[in-house]
Amino acid sequence: NISLGTPPQQFTVVMDTGSSNLWVIDSSCKSQACLGNLGSGYSKRRFDTAASTSYQATPTPFVLTYGSGSCTGTIGYDVLDMAGLNCPSQGIGVATTIADVFGNQPIDGILGLGWPALAEKGVVPPMQNVLNQLDQPIFTVYMSRHQQLNMNVDYYQDGGLITFGALDTKNCAAQVDYVKLSSKTYWQFPLQDFEIGSFQARTNYQAISDTGTSYLGVPIEIMPQIAKQSGATYNMRLQNYLLPCNGNYPDLVFKINGKDFHVSARQYVMDLGITVDGKPGYCALGIFAMQDLPKSARRTEEN
């Protein structure tokens, strides 16, 4: 939750490490997506810039494109408050059009946590504007585990915790491993190898840590190997790889900075209540194939 303007107007936004701009919906947008798509169970809160005495408009247009949608509008400046942090003049994308996919989601906008080089129109990202208010120049993201949510009633269930200016010692392991970024755009780092079962890629990759993407995105040539080692088969109707929920599946192993990090099947095999040909008990892989990932990280926001 954040607030913008004077007096403050409240918004719910995605905290997104895969982008660097803050945008919310302009009150002038009357499309169904801007209001909240019928059946989504969520009514959008839109920014009434005329009601804010501190809002400063500009004629600068913006276009932000994500993996499954985009938004357009103009850049403005206003007071931002989030988690007790305050920026008196934050650059904001005030969106007059948004993609239909955003109309289905319980959000009023996106707040980018990426680096300045990734920002549209050179707008300074919120984190850079509040750095001097932090005890340490870091933030920690913890995501709690939920499956089979009733999206009509569970929007506000505890989704995790973002800690600004400190490590989250409650939810994070005591041992913290660091890796040098390979690009200060995304939170991008070298991935030295990948393994699953008897398969080992023996290839260097570039990866990004992206809170705005739900699944693991992998190089397109790796996906068949993951399916083979896990025994998953592709379902055209659901456009996902499926496998029995009660199976015993190997870890995904990522080599980062010389250390192997294991991701257990509990984290990548998702029980979504899937029935195939009348038979229940099927799960989905929380993994999708991406083009052009082996040598360069590619943006896949909001999948």
Side-chain angles (χ1 to χ4, degrees), residues 82 85-87 90 113-116 124-139 164-165 184 187:
M82 61 175 187
L85 304 169
N86 174 273
C87 175
Q90 174 61 51
L113 295 170
W115 289 87
V124 178
M127 283 305 299
Q128 272 63 38
N129 279 330
V130 300
L131 272 179
N132 62 354
Q133 301 174 44
L134 304 180
D135 293 336
Q136 301 177 62
I138 61 174
F139 61 90
F164 295 102
K184 288 170 69 172
W187 290 92

Short mmCIF file of all heavy atoms in Angstrom, two decimals, residues 82 85-87 90 113-116 124-139 164-165 184 187:
data_model
loop_
_atom_site.label_atom_id
_atom_site.label_comp_id
_atom_site.label_asym_id
_atom_site.label_seq_id
_atom_site.Cartn_x
_atom_site.Cartn_y
_atom_site.Cartn_z
N MET A 82 5.39 5.60 1.42
CA MET A 82 5.30 4.15 1.45
C MET A 82 6.10 3.63 2.65
O MET A 82 7.25 4.02 2.86
CB MET A 82 5.84 3.53 0.15
CG MET A 82 7.29 3.80 -0.16
SD MET A 82 7.84 2.89 -1.63
CE MET A 82 9.60 3.25 -1.61
N LEU A 85 8.23 5.91 4.58
CA LEU A 85 9.20 6.67 3.82
C LEU A 85 8.48 7.72 2.98
O LEU A 85 7.38 7.46 2.48
CB LEU A 85 10.02 5.74 2.91
CG LEU A 85 10.73 4.59 3.63
CD1 LEU A 85 11.28 3.59 2.61
CD2 LEU A 85 11.85 5.12 4.51
N ASN A 86 9.12 8.87 2.81
CA ASN A 86 8.45 9.97 2.13
C ASN A 86 9.34 10.58 1.06
O ASN A 86 10.52 10.84 1.29
CB ASN A 86 8.06 11.06 3.15
CG ASN A 86 7.47 12.29 2.48
OD1 ASN A 86 8.20 13.20 2.08
ND2 ASN A 86 6.15 12.33 2.37
N CYS A 87 8.76 10.79 -0.12
CA CYS A 87 9.43 11.54 -1.19
C CYS A 87 8.52 12.69 -1.58
O CYS A 87 7.39 12.45 -2.05
CB CYS A 87 9.72 10.65 -2.40
SG CYS A 87 10.43 11.55 -3.79
N GLN A 90 8.02 12.80 -6.30
CA GLN A 90 8.31 11.56 -7.01
C GLN A 90 7.71 11.60 -8.41
O GLN A 90 6.56 11.98 -8.60
CB GLN A 90 7.72 10.37 -6.24
CG GLN A 90 7.84 9.04 -6.97
CD GLN A 90 9.28 8.66 -7.22
OE1 GLN A 90 10.10 8.67 -6.31
NE2 GLN A 90 9.62 8.32 -8.47
N LEU A 113 11.23 -1.36 -8.54
CA LEU A 113 12.36 -1.39 -7.61
C LEU A 113 13.68 -1.64 -8.34
O LEU A 113 14.68 -1.96 -7.71
CB LEU A 113 12.14 -2.48 -6.56
CG LEU A 113 10.94 -2.27 -5.62
CD1 LEU A 113 10.70 -3.53 -4.79
CD2 LEU A 113 11.18 -1.08 -4.70
N GLY A 114 13.66 -1.49 -9.68
CA GLY A 114 14.88 -1.69 -10.46
C GLY A 114 15.78 -0.46 -10.44
O GLY A 114 15.53 0.52 -9.73
N TRP A 115 16.82 -0.50 -11.26
CA TRP A 115 17.85 0.54 -11.27
C TRP A 115 17.47 1.70 -12.19
O TRP A 115 16.66 1.54 -13.11
CB TRP A 115 19.19 -0.06 -11.71
CG TRP A 115 19.77 -0.95 -10.67
CD1 TRP A 115 19.52 -2.29 -10.51
CD2 TRP A 115 20.67 -0.59 -9.62
NE1 TRP A 115 20.21 -2.77 -9.43
CE2 TRP A 115 20.92 -1.76 -8.86
CE3 TRP A 115 21.28 0.61 -9.24
CZ2 TRP A 115 21.76 -1.75 -7.75
CZ3 TRP A 115 22.11 0.62 -8.15
CH2 TRP A 115 22.35 -0.55 -7.41
N PRO A 116 18.04 2.89 -11.97
CA PRO A 116 17.68 4.07 -12.77
C PRO A 116 17.84 3.88 -14.27
O PRO A 116 17.06 4.46 -15.05
CB PRO A 116 18.63 5.15 -12.23
CG PRO A 116 18.91 4.75 -10.82
CD PRO A 116 18.94 3.24 -10.85
N VAL A 124 13.60 9.33 -11.85
CA VAL A 124 14.33 8.72 -10.75
C VAL A 124 13.41 7.74 -10.03
O VAL A 124 12.32 8.12 -9.57
CB VAL A 124 14.85 9.79 -9.76
CG1 VAL A 124 15.58 9.12 -8.59
CG2 VAL A 124 15.77 10.77 -10.48
N PRO A 125 13.81 6.47 -9.90
CA PRO A 125 12.96 5.48 -9.22
C PRO A 125 12.76 5.83 -7.75
O PRO A 125 13.60 6.48 -7.12
CB PRO A 125 13.75 4.17 -9.37
CG PRO A 125 14.65 4.39 -10.54
CD PRO A 125 15.01 5.84 -10.48
N PRO A 126 11.65 5.37 -7.16
CA PRO A 126 11.36 5.69 -5.76
C PRO A 126 12.47 5.30 -4.79
O PRO A 126 12.79 6.07 -3.87
CB PRO A 126 10.08 4.88 -5.49
CG PRO A 126 9.41 4.77 -6.82
CD PRO A 126 10.53 4.65 -7.81
N MET A 127 13.09 4.14 -4.97
CA MET A 127 14.10 3.70 -4.02
C MET A 127 15.29 4.66 -3.98
O MET A 127 15.85 4.92 -2.91
CB MET A 127 14.59 2.29 -4.34
CG MET A 127 13.63 1.19 -3.93
SD MET A 127 13.17 1.23 -2.19
CE MET A 127 14.75 1.02 -1.41
N GLN A 128 15.67 5.19 -5.13
CA GLN A 128 16.79 6.13 -5.15
C GLN A 128 16.41 7.43 -4.43
O GLN A 128 17.25 8.08 -3.83
CB GLN A 128 17.22 6.42 -6.59
CG GLN A 128 18.26 5.45 -7.15
CD GLN A 128 17.77 4.03 -7.23
OE1 GLN A 128 16.62 3.79 -7.55
NE2 GLN A 128 18.63 3.07 -6.94
N ASN A 129 15.15 7.78 -4.48
CA ASN A 129 14.70 9.02 -3.84
C ASN A 129 14.61 8.92 -2.32
O ASN A 129 14.60 9.94 -1.63
CB ASN A 129 13.34 9.44 -4.39
CG ASN A 129 13.45 10.17 -5.72
OD1 ASN A 129 14.45 10.85 -5.99
ND2 ASN A 129 12.45 10.04 -6.56
N VAL A 130 14.54 7.70 -1.80
CA VAL A 130 14.41 7.55 -0.34
C VAL A 130 15.64 6.89 0.29
O VAL A 130 15.62 6.57 1.48
CB VAL A 130 13.14 6.74 0.04
CG1 VAL A 130 11.89 7.44 -0.47
CG2 VAL A 130 13.21 5.31 -0.48
N LEU A 131 16.70 6.71 -0.48
CA LEU A 131 17.89 6.02 0.04
C LEU A 131 18.42 6.67 1.31
O LEU A 131 18.84 5.98 2.24
CB LEU A 131 18.99 6.00 -1.03
CG LEU A 131 18.98 4.83 -2.02
CD1 LEU A 131 20.13 4.99 -3.02
CD2 LEU A 131 19.09 3.50 -1.30
N ASN A 132 18.41 7.99 1.36
CA ASN A 132 18.98 8.66 2.53
C ASN A 132 18.12 8.52 3.77
O ASN A 132 18.52 8.92 4.87
CB ASN A 132 19.23 10.15 2.23
CG ASN A 132 17.95 10.91 1.92
OD1 ASN A 132 16.88 10.32 1.80
ND2 ASN A 132 18.06 12.22 1.77
N GLN A 133 16.93 7.93 3.64
CA GLN A 133 16.06 7.69 4.79
C GLN A 133 16.21 6.28 5.35
O GLN A 133 15.61 5.96 6.38
CB GLN A 133 14.60 7.93 4.40
CG GLN A 133 14.31 9.33 3.90
CD GLN A 133 12.89 9.49 3.39
OE1 GLN A 133 11.93 9.03 4.01
NE2 GLN A 133 12.74 10.14 2.24
N LEU A 134 17.00 5.45 4.68
CA LEU A 134 17.14 4.05 5.08
C LEU A 134 18.31 3.85 6.03
O LEU A 134 19.33 4.53 5.90
CB LEU A 134 17.34 3.16 3.84
CG LEU A 134 16.27 3.24 2.74
CD1 LEU A 134 16.64 2.30 1.60
CD2 LEU A 134 14.89 2.89 3.30
N ASP A 135 18.17 2.91 6.96
CA ASP A 135 19.27 2.57 7.86
C ASP A 135 20.42 1.94 7.09
O ASP A 135 21.59 2.18 7.38
CB ASP A 135 18.80 1.60 8.95
CG ASP A 135 17.80 2.25 9.90
OD1 ASP A 135 17.82 3.49 10.00
OD2 ASP A 135 17.01 1.52 10.51
N GLN A 136 20.09 1.11 6.09
CA GLN A 136 21.07 0.52 5.18
C GLN A 136 20.52 0.63 3.77
O GLN A 136 19.29 0.60 3.58
CB GLN A 136 21.31 -0.96 5.51
CG GLN A 136 21.79 -1.25 6.91
CD GLN A 136 21.91 -2.75 7.14
OE1 GLN A 136 22.68 -3.45 6.49
NE2 GLN A 136 21.13 -3.26 8.09
N PRO A 137 21.38 0.73 2.75
CA PRO A 137 20.89 0.90 1.38
C PRO A 137 20.47 -0.45 0.75
O PRO A 137 20.99 -0.86 -0.29
CB PRO A 137 22.09 1.50 0.66
CG PRO A 137 23.27 0.93 1.38
CD PRO A 137 22.86 0.83 2.82
N ILE A 138 19.54 -1.14 1.39
CA ILE A 138 19.08 -2.45 0.92
C ILE A 138 17.58 -2.56 1.14
O ILE A 138 16.97 -1.80 1.88
CB ILE A 138 19.79 -3.61 1.66
CG1 ILE A 138 19.47 -3.56 3.16
CG2 ILE A 138 21.29 -3.58 1.43
CD1 ILE A 138 20.00 -4.75 3.93
N PHE A 139 16.98 -3.54 0.48
CA PHE A 139 15.62 -3.96 0.83
C PHE A 139 15.56 -5.48 0.70
O PHE A 139 16.34 -6.10 -0.03
CB PHE A 139 14.55 -3.29 -0.03
CG PHE A 139 14.64 -3.57 -1.50
CD1 PHE A 139 13.98 -4.65 -2.06
CD2 PHE A 139 15.36 -2.73 -2.35
CE1 PHE A 139 14.05 -4.91 -3.43
CE2 PHE A 139 15.44 -2.96 -3.71
CZ PHE A 139 14.78 -4.07 -4.25
N PHE A 164 12.34 -2.42 4.08
CA PHE A 164 13.17 -1.36 3.51
C PHE A 164 14.25 -0.96 4.51
O PHE A 164 13.96 -0.62 5.66
CB PHE A 164 12.32 -0.15 3.15
CG PHE A 164 11.33 -0.41 2.06
CD1 PHE A 164 9.99 -0.62 2.35
CD2 PHE A 164 11.73 -0.47 0.73
CE1 PHE A 164 9.07 -0.87 1.36
CE2 PHE A 164 10.81 -0.73 -0.28
CZ PHE A 164 9.48 -0.93 0.03
N GLY A 165 15.51 -1.04 4.07
CA GLY A 165 16.62 -0.57 4.89
C GLY A 165 17.22 -1.58 5.83
O GLY A 165 18.04 -1.23 6.68
N LYS A 184 23.50 -3.14 -13.88
CA LYS A 184 22.69 -2.32 -12.97
C LYS A 184 21.51 -1.74 -13.75
O LYS A 184 21.35 -0.53 -13.91
CB LYS A 184 23.55 -1.23 -12.32
CG LYS A 184 24.51 -1.79 -11.28
CD LYS A 184 25.52 -0.77 -10.81
CE LYS A 184 24.88 0.33 -10.00
NZ LYS A 184 25.88 1.22 -9.37
N TRP A 187 17.89 -6.49 -11.57
CA TRP A 187 18.76 -7.12 -10.57
C TRP A 187 19.30 -8.38 -11.25
O TRP A 187 18.81 -9.49 -11.04
CB TRP A 187 17.97 -7.43 -9.29
CG TRP A 187 17.61 -6.18 -8.56
CD1 TRP A 187 16.47 -5.44 -8.68
CD2 TRP A 187 18.44 -5.47 -7.62
NE1 TRP A 187 16.52 -4.33 -7.87
CE2 TRP A 187 17.71 -4.32 -7.20
CE3 TRP A 187 19.70 -5.71 -7.08
CZ2 TRP A 187 18.21 -3.42 -6.27
CZ3 TRP A 187 20.20 -4.80 -6.16
CH2 TRP A 187 19.47 -3.67 -5.76
#
